[in-house]
Structures are given as C-alpha cells and as structure tokens.
Amino acid sequence: MSALETPRVEARGNVGPIDSSLVPRYAGPATFARLPRRDEVPSADVVIAGVPFDTGVSFRPGARFAPAHVRESSRLLRPYHPALDASPFELVQVADAGDLAVNPFDIPAAIDAIQAGAAELTSDGARLLTIGGDHTIALPLLRNVAAQHGPVALIHFDAHLDTWDTYFGAEYTHGTPFRRAVEEGILDTEALSHVGTRGPLYGKKDLEDDRRFGFGILTSADVYHQGVTEVVQRLRERVGDRPVYVSIDIDVLDPAHAPGTGTPEAGGMTSRELLEILRGFAGLNLVGADVVEVAPAYDHAEITGISASHVAYDLVTLLALQAGGADGANQNGATQ
Ligand code: MN
Ligand code: MN
C-alpha cells in the first residue's frame, strides 16, 4: 500500500469508511466514522454536516467546537449495527460534508446561512444529519425539512423545553427554536413530543405555554418509570406515518453520560436508554435529525463525544434504512 493511498471498504457500489484493517483507527484526519468526504463521492443518500455555531447559548459556550470533537470521538464506530441488523454504509452512500461556515457574530445571518446550506446539501433528496452547534440551529434545519415535506412531526430529546419566548430581548437563541418553529407553522402540532425533560423552570407558565403549542412531554422520570418499550410505543403512536424530525440535545443525558454540555441538569437519561429508544424508531419516516449542545471544553475522556457519536451513528443508520427503502435499494442511484 502506498503512503498516498486511502484504502476504503467498498460494498454494493457504495464507498465506505477507511479500511481499519489497513489503516489504524487513530491514524489520519477524522471524518464522521472515517467515512468519505462528500466531495469524494459523486452523490450521497445520507449526508452528515457540522454546524460550528454557539452564539445562541445562555450559559456555558463552546458547542462551536463540537463537530470536530464528535468526529474525533467517532473513529471507533464500526460498519455493522447489530441491534438494527443493518450495515448503513453498505446500504446507501453516506458521506461527511464537513462544516457549514456560518457567521459567529450575527445570529439571523447564521440562521439564514444554515438553512441555505441544509437546502443545498439535501437538494438531490439526500437526508441530513447535523452535528451542532447549539440548539439555535434546529430552527433553520426544521425550516428546510418543512420546505421539502410540509409541517413535520418532531421528537425532541432535551433536559429543557426550548420553547421559551425571548431572553435578554433576543428571539433567536438556543432556548427558543421550537416556539419560533410553531409560530412559523413548520411543525405538525398534532405530533410534537419532548423526551427527557427535567430540572427547575422559571415558572409553571413555561409548561402551560408549551402545552398550548401542542407538545406532549415524556419527562426523564417518565422514561425511568414507564421504561423504554412503553416510551417508544407512545412516541410511535403520536408520530404515525408523518414525516418526523428528531432533534437531540445531548443534555438529555445525565451529566454522568454527557458532562460536556452547556446547561447540564442532574437526573437525566442513560446513553443506553437513549440508544434503545432510537432503535425503536426503525420504520418511522425520519426525514432529518440533529445532535446538538456538545461542549468539548467541559468533556472528560471523550465521554460526551462518545455518547454523541454513538447517538449520531444510530440516527445515520435510521436515515440509511429510510433512504434505502424496504428493499435496501439505493434511492439516488448514485453508485449503481
Ligand atoms: Mn438542553
Ligand atoms: Mn436544547
């Protein structure tokens, strides 16, 4: 093997990760799961993109460094998903499009740029998984999926509601994206769920407002008391066959499983619970997803990065199963 070559696993006409039997996992530059860059393949069915933006945070900053951290923490991900009996990188073409370079000083400009970037990356029908960034970025990502599918169902994993109105007079922050989305009519208000909420609020009105917008809540305590199977069943019933977007604030996990985040709250879900709930979503019409609020400066031993990379891997697998269709056919015909 030449030092100039990058040997990759290729199967079913799809270009997969760097071959770890030939190049150790810790060698070379990090893309998500060592997948090819988007510009190294002619087209892709599932695209991963980073949004290094954290100007919308209200407490600890640092999520702008998350895309690089999650990619670095994703080097050990392997190509076969036993729990879902799927090989996502064989099923369809998956590629890493790098980061959307957005303005760190102008939140509305950044929101517009994220929407435009997402539109470009999905213009050929590709499904997008985004690694934030703070939760502000969910609004333009939802605008993009709504432009393509109409108002979508939402399953939102978070310690927090993120349906606050304004903070210091600012309408667009990481605490407001889902209120703005409801106001804009881009969410299907019959099918909105928060999962994993907990911790003190400013007042009961936060919950009353949230209910008025149409959200149902399965708190972190509900997940504990009802169990994963019941939670999955309730979420699936609420979503039905609607197009659904999944947004995961990594602070939905307990700080023991995700210390590296901006607004940590005690009493959160385990990474096992979160991954098991996601595996219960197989077959839902998942049209896009994000993993946000990883703040690497507060991480230790890549604990948060590993949680986020595995959550992202499960989302990529669900997107690949959807993009591949029931028979596993490559939807875009990119490499046939
Ligand atoms: Mn949160
Ligand atoms: Mn959030």
Side-chain angles (χ1 to χ4, degrees):
M1 186 182 71
S2 156
L4 296 173
E5 287 177 45
T6 303
R8 291 189 174 276
V9 179
E10 295 197 27
R12 294 167 51 106
N14 293 312
V15 182
I18 294 172
D19 187 340
S20 293
S21 70
L22 298 173
V23 182
R25 293 189 166 278
Y26 41 82
T31 55
F32 184 78
R34 309 183 89 203
L35 285 161
R37 296 193 317 261
R38 176 64 187 81
D39 61 4
E40 292 176 313
V41 291
S43 72
D45 305 284
V46 177
V47 172
I48 298 137
V51 180
F53 172 85
D54 63 6
T55 313
V57 302
S58 55
F59 199 56
R60 295 171 174 173
R64 66 180 59 182
F65 297 106
H69 185 67
V70 175
R71 287 189 181 100
E72 190 60 33
S73 302
S74 75
R75 289 177 176 274
L76 196 53
L77 292 170
R78 301 180 193 89
Y80 176 64
H81 192 313
L84 290 171
D85 186 24
S87 296
F89 313 142
E90 290 186 17
L91 191 56
V92 295
Q93 182 64 60
V94 188
D96 186 332
D99 294 338
L100 300 179
V102 301
N103 191 325
F105 303 109
D106 184 335
I107 293 177
I111 286 173
D112 288 346
I114 293 163
Q115 186 180 351
E120 186 180 345
L121 291 172
T122 57
S123 63
D124 60 356
R127 293 170 198 239
L128 177 63
L129 169 75
T130 312
I131 300 170
D134 74 51
H135 226 150
T136 312
I137 72 168
L139 179 64
L141 296 170
L142 284 168
R143 286 178 182 168
N144 182 56
V145 291
Q148 294 167 347
H149 302 277
V152 293
L154 173 70
I155 303 176
H156 168 222
F157 293 88
D158 203 319
H160 311 98
L161 301 168
D162 291 1
T163 51
W164 283 297
D165 190 1
T166 60
Y167 194 55
F168 283 74
E171 286 182 277
Y172 299 98
T173 76
H174 78 154
T176 64
F178 303 116
R179 189 178 187 122
R180 296 289 94 82
V182 168
E183 290 168 351
E184 293 180 15
I186 57 179
L187 293 177
D188 183 334
T189 54
E190 299 290 306
L192 306 180
S193 301
H194 302 296
V195 187
T197 55
R198 61 191 189 275
L201 302 172
Y202 287 101
K204 197 166 184 176
K205 184 170 182 300
D206 292 349
L207 290 169
E208 291 163 358
D209 285 352
D210 192 77
R211 196 176 306 119
R212 187 161 46 81
F213 300 143
F215 278 92
I217 297 180
L218 289 161
T219 66
S220 181
D222 290 334
V223 174
Y224 171 72
H225 289 294
Q226 296 176 18
V228 165
T229 307
E230 172 80 16
V231 164
V232 165
Q233 189 184 333
R234 290 179 61 173
L235 291 169
R236 289 188 72 106
E237 281 170 9
R238 197 163 174 90
V239 170
D241 57 5
R242 296 175 173 89
V244 59
Y245 186 90
V246 173
S247 185
I248 301 182
D249 185 326
I250 205 67
D251 74 22
V252 74
L253 297 178
D254 191 86
H257 296 258
T261 194
T263 44
E265 310 279 354
M269 289 161 54
T270 66
S271 54
R272 179 175 59 209
E273 287 171 325
L274 177 55
L275 291 168
E276 283 299 301
I277 292 173
L278 293 178
R279 287 159 194 173
F281 293 169
L284 292 183
N285 183 15
L286 181 64
V287 293
D290 63 57
V291 182
V292 299
E293 299 284 353
V294 172
Y298 297 93
D299 203 7
H300 307 271
E302 289 189 320
I303 294 170
T304 318
I306 291 162
S307 289
S309 69
H310 280 254
V311 165
Y313 178 75
D314 267 64
L315 292 168
V316 164
T317 305
L318 292 171
L319 290 166
L321 286 166
Q322 280 298 306
D327 61 353
N330 184 321
Q331 191 180 50
N332 276 358
T335 50
Q336 288 168 7

